[in-house]
Amino acid sequence: ARITTPRSLFVQSRADATPVALYFADEDSHVVRMLNLTAADDLALAIDADGRVTTTIPAASVFTVAGGPNTAGFPNGPGFAGDGEEAERVRFSFPFGVAVTTSGGQPAHFFTSDRRNDRLRRFAAPPLVKTNQ
């Protein structure tokens, strides 16, 4: 991912306090990105209703979590869409802050301020479980 204007860093740790993800709003790209902080563990970004991993974040890589497709060279213009949708369908206009809540030691909700849409957006946080055992 090409990072243009990183804002508001948030580190997500496992229950044992091991940092696994660094989230940030990439304001001018209108997306929220995640850096997988693990050197060898691929992490699940999305799991379907049957418990199958549908999207994986490779070890030590940057991935677009919300705001647009994770496609190199794809221009993500400002937008407003995705309320009540999965994270990859959420569209922002200059996202700024990020925060993640936990429940039972697992990520629960992801919050991002959507500056030009005058909104605080919430969507399900990535589960961040290892996918390469």
Side-chain angles (χ1 to χ4, degrees):
R2 183 172 180 199
I3 300 166
T4 58
T5 315
R7 303 276 191 238
S8 304
L9 306 176
F10 184 88
V11 175
Q12 179 70 46
S13 299
R14 290 195 176 119
D16 66 359
T18 303
V20 293
L22 173 70
Y23 298 101
F24 57 95
D26 195 348
E27 187 178 29
D28 289 348
S29 294
H30 312 287
V31 297
V32 174
R33 301 193 196 275
M34 187 199 98
L35 168 61
N36 181 341
L37 297 173
T38 67
D41 294 336
D42 295 345
L43 300 173
L45 176 66
I47 298 175
D48 69 14
D50 295 324
R52 294 181 300 243
V53 174
T54 59
T55 308
T56 300
I57 304 165
S61 68
V62 175
F63 202 87
T64 301
V65 175
N70 201 45
T71 306
F74 183 85
N76 291 310
F80 181 74
D83 280 354
E85 300 277 343
E86 296 176 4
E88 66 264 9
R89 295 178 187 232
V90 176
R91 298 294 180 263
F92 303 104
S93 184
F94 299 93
F96 195 82
V98 295
V100 178
T101 63
T102 59
S103 178
Q106 295 295 319
H109 295 285
F110 196 106
F111 292 90
T112 302
S113 60
D114 192 0
R115 215 161 48 97
R116 297 264 173 95
N117 284 323
D118 298 321
R119 298 278 195 279
L120 179 62
R121 310 290 292 277
R122 180 186 77 159
F123 45 91
L128 301 184
V129 294
K130 287 196 289 187
T131 60
N132 54 336
Q133 300 291 331

